[in-house]
Amino acid sequence: MNIQSGTVTTTLAPANPWALVPPLGNLDAYISAVNRLPLLTHEEEQTYARALKDNNDLDAAGRLVMSHLRLVVSISRQYLGYGLPHGDLIQEGNVGLMKAVKRFDPDQGVRLVSYAMHWIKAEIHEYILKNWRMVKVATTKAQRKLFFNLRSMKQGFKADAAAADAATHRDTLSDREIDAVAEQLNVKREEVIEMETRLSGGDVLLDPAPSDDGEQAFGPIAYLADAAHEPTAMIESRQRDYLATDGIADALASLDERSRRIVEERWLKVNDDGTGGMTLHELAAVYGVSAERIRQIEVAAMKKMKKALAEYA
């Protein structure tokens, strides 16, 4: 504050550029706010760009970014046809704008708006390719070019057909149109056909939500799962195999000779006619004891084997 000749003059510090767009409740309010931000003159842009380059002035970077936010909004509108949220497109475009501001060289003789358009579009393109489908649709430079031009070219073909009163024009490309796209974009016609098929196909919900009547809707998840190779099932199967071989052998080895033979004859042997092994009475005759005594020996042996198998498991 200065006092000169009885008058009071106040010198205000520059406003914080990052506070020019306060937190807003919805996208429309944000777009309205950025459209009201003042544009920089060429001289102002050069001044701020040099301050950023020479002195790493973050306030200067902020003013360069804020004055071009409306450019991001304008460019992002061109990509609304991919079904992604407009706010997300703007956010990714803003990332590209900040990258452009960081790399901008005022000595190149171009305006920031021309330089930033490339970075904004590149960031939005990358976001669309990563999020438009779970499975990537474009991995090479030629495929990316095809991806982002095929939709607009199809619209052009439809417009030409409408002008020629071709009411029966198909949604899919004709052979002539496929050849025209392939020639113009310098790709194979097979790539045009594949890309059109993938772009026209919708996403499939693997696990549909239950219907209104409470019944579970059938979805691909029902037949995509491979229960035979599910980790828990594989571990349980391996454990059963071990118990049926090494486990049983170790459990039998813990028994005395008579108990082991009784268990083997009763449970592990099968006659040629498919029937089981020896009966209690047949074993009783072999050992000269009662059938009840054979049953008692069998019960005790089975308990001992269960204990051994539990320890083995």
Side-chain angles (χ1 to χ4, degrees):
M1 180 179 294
N2 299 322
I3 301 177
Q4 299 177 349
S5 303
T7 61
V8 178
T9 60
T10 303
T11 301
L12 296 177
N16 179 5
W18 303 106
L20 295 178
V21 179
L24 301 168
N26 57 68
L27 182 60
D28 292 336
Y30 169 83
I31 294 175
S32 176
V34 300
N35 285 335
R36 292 195 301 268
L37 293 175
L39 297 176
L40 298 178
T41 65
H42 181 61
E43 292 74 15
E44 290 173 331
E45 181 179 294
Q46 286 286 308
T47 300
Y48 290 132
R50 292 187 184 281
L52 173 61
K53 181 181 178 182
D54 298 337
N55 304 317
N56 196 29
D57 189 338
L58 296 183
D59 285 340
R63 292 195 177 275
L64 292 171
V65 170
M66 303 299 284
S67 63
H68 290 80
L69 288 178
R70 67 177 67 193
L71 173 65
V72 176
V73 173
S74 176
I75 293 175
S76 65
R77 287 196 178 102
Q78 303 172 19
Y79 300 94
L80 292 177
Y82 295 98
L84 297 172
H86 191 192
D88 290 349
L89 295 173
I90 292 175
Q91 178 173 282
E92 295 300 320
N94 287 342
V95 173
L97 172 61
M98 287 186 283
K99 290 182 178 180
V101 168
K102 182 179 180 180
R103 294 167 173 80
F104 181 61
D105 185 355
D107 297 324
Q108 292 296 322
V110 297
R111 293 296 301 268
L112 177 58
V113 62
S114 301
Y115 181 74
M117 288 180 65
H118 163 77
W119 288 93
I120 295 170
K121 289 183 177 180
E123 207 69 26
I124 293 177
H125 285 184
E126 191 67 23
Y127 170 74
I128 292 174
L129 291 176
K130 287 182 178 179
N131 295 275
W132 189 71
R133 286 286 188 267
M134 291 183 67
V135 179
K136 282 192 173 183
V137 295
T139 55
T140 67
K141 184 177 180 180
Q143 288 177 334
R144 286 170 178 253
K145 185 177 181 180
L146 176 60
F147 177 85
F148 286 107
N149 286 276
L150 183 58
R151 185 188 300 270
S152 60
M153 294 183 71
K154 286 183 67 174
Q155 294 298 327
F157 291 141
K158 288 183 179 180
D160 294 341
D165 293 331
T168 58
H169 184 76
R170 301 174 301 169
D171 289 334
T172 57
L173 294 175
S174 65
D175 289 339
R176 178 182 60 82
E177 292 168 344
I178 291 174
D179 292 334
V181 173
E183 181 179 359
Q184 183 172 341
L185 299 180
N186 194 26
V187 295
K188 298 178 181 179
R189 70 187 315 274
E190 292 78 11
E191 293 179 332
V192 178
I193 296 173
E194 180 185 2
M195 185 63 70
E196 183 191 19
T197 302
R198 299 182 73 174
L199 290 178
S200 60
D203 290 331
V204 178
L205 190 62
L206 291 179
D207 192 11
S211 58
D212 294 336
D213 56 5
E215 295 185 359
Q216 180 67 40
F218 180 80
I221 195 67
Y223 55 81
L224 287 177
D226 185 3
H229 294 86
E230 196 273 326
T232 303
M234 292 179 66
I235 293 174
E236 292 178 350
S237 176
R238 189 178 299 115
Q239 188 176 30
R240 286 195 299 269
D241 291 341
Y242 285 151
L243 290 177
T245 55
D246 297 347
I248 293 295
D250 290 346
L252 286 172
S254 66
L255 302 177
D256 59 81
E257 183 179 352
R258 183 177 63 173
S259 298
R260 181 166 59 254
R261 183 185 177 188
I262 291 175
V263 171
E264 289 176 345
E265 293 290 347
R266 292 279 292 153
W267 299 100
L268 300 181
K269 287 187 178 181
V270 179
N271 296 326
D272 294 337
D273 58 0
T275 59
M278 299 175 67
T279 65
L280 293 175
H281 291 282
E282 290 172 340
L283 287 170
V286 170
Y287 289 103
V289 295
S290 64
E292 176 60 21
R293 179 56 185 157
I294 295 297
R295 189 191 67 80
Q296 293 173 355
I297 295 174
E298 177 187 358
V299 171
M302 295 297 287
K303 288 182 178 179
K304 190 172 184 180
M305 288 185 64
K306 287 181 179 179
K307 183 178 180 181
L309 288 173
E311 294 177 353
Y312 187 84

